[in-house]
Amino acid sequence: ELKKEGCAFLLPVRIKRARLTNIDPIKSITLDFGKFNIIVGSSTTGKTTIIRSIAYVFGHEFIKGYLSSKATIELDVCTEKKYKISMESANDKSNIKCILIDGGGDRLNSGGFKKFLYYLKGLDIQVIITALALRENNLCKSAKIFCLSDRI
């Protein structure tokens, strides 16, 4: 359902590091990702910008109109082998190494959110998800948490 709404993106590689500069509202940020990551922040702090900027590098064009000539998106990725991105391979689940989910945690009730996190954690893929706030959850203790403020 999140993929249909344009909130989930499947990638053929794991992201080690993302560096974004001059992409509104972000002036400059570097994020070093682990296997399970949650980006937390209030509205307009740049959570969606981060997810969509990473997705843009892999052909998703949601953010294209928002990029200025000074914008940069740099990704350090883990590749087990050379990869090719095509629409045909997007449906092949064996090619998925990372899932980006914008607002996934905020769309579910607390019980649903906990089940959703356990499901994602059990997958053999990297997860990068955004949320407005963290709910009390033992699973979040093992996640790499990035807290965004209004000044990044």
Side-chain angles (χ1 to χ4, degrees):
E1 184 179 313
L2 293 171
K3 190 175 175 186
K4 289 179 186 175
E5 292 177 22
C7 298
F9 308 95
L10 308 175
L11 305 180
V13 295
R14 294 178 193 244
I15 309 298
K16 288 195 284 189
R17 174 179 288 157
R19 287 181 215 91
L20 288 78
T21 54
N22 299 316
I23 304 172
D24 196 35
I26 296 170
K27 291 180 183 162
S28 179
I29 191 169
T30 299
L31 302 168
D32 292 311
F33 293 113
K35 183 178 186 287
F36 192 77
N37 309 270
I38 304 173
I39 303 169
V40 181
S42 60
S43 295
T44 71
T45 55
K47 300 179 308 296
T48 296
T49 300
I50 292 167
I51 295 294
R52 291 187 174 185
S53 295
I54 294 170
Y56 175 74
V57 172
F58 292 93
H60 301 280
E61 299 206 2
F62 288 102
I63 201 164
K64 187 176 183 178
Y66 298 97
L67 297 175
S68 73
S69 61
K70 295 181 180 181
T72 59
I73 304 167
E74 295 179 54
L75 299 179
D76 295 340
V77 300
C78 301
T79 56
E80 293 81 28
K81 59 182 179 178
K82 290 186 179 182
Y83 62 93
K84 178 181 175 183
I85 301 169
S86 72
M87 294 311 290
E88 291 175 5
S89 66
N91 292 323
D92 180 2
K93 304 297 184 230
S94 66
N95 287 335
I96 299 169
K97 303 294 182 201
C98 176
I99 182 170
L100 307 173
I101 302 174
D102 184 27
D106 302 322
R107 296 168 189 272
L108 305 167
N109 61 37
S110 58
F113 180 69
K114 186 175 180 180
K115 288 179 186 176
F116 186 56
L117 287 180
Y118 274 107
Y119 170 75
L120 292 175
K121 181 87 175 177
L123 298 176
D124 186 31
I125 61 173
Q126 180 184 41
V127 176
I128 302 172
I129 187 170
T130 66
L132 289 173
L134 283 179
R135 293 165 176 83
E136 291 291 325
N137 190 313
N138 287 336
L139 187 58
C140 291
K141 292 178 183 175
S142 64
K144 191 159 189 180
I145 309 293
F146 300 94
C147 296
L148 303 185
S149 67
D150 292 329
R151 299 178 190 187
I152 54 174

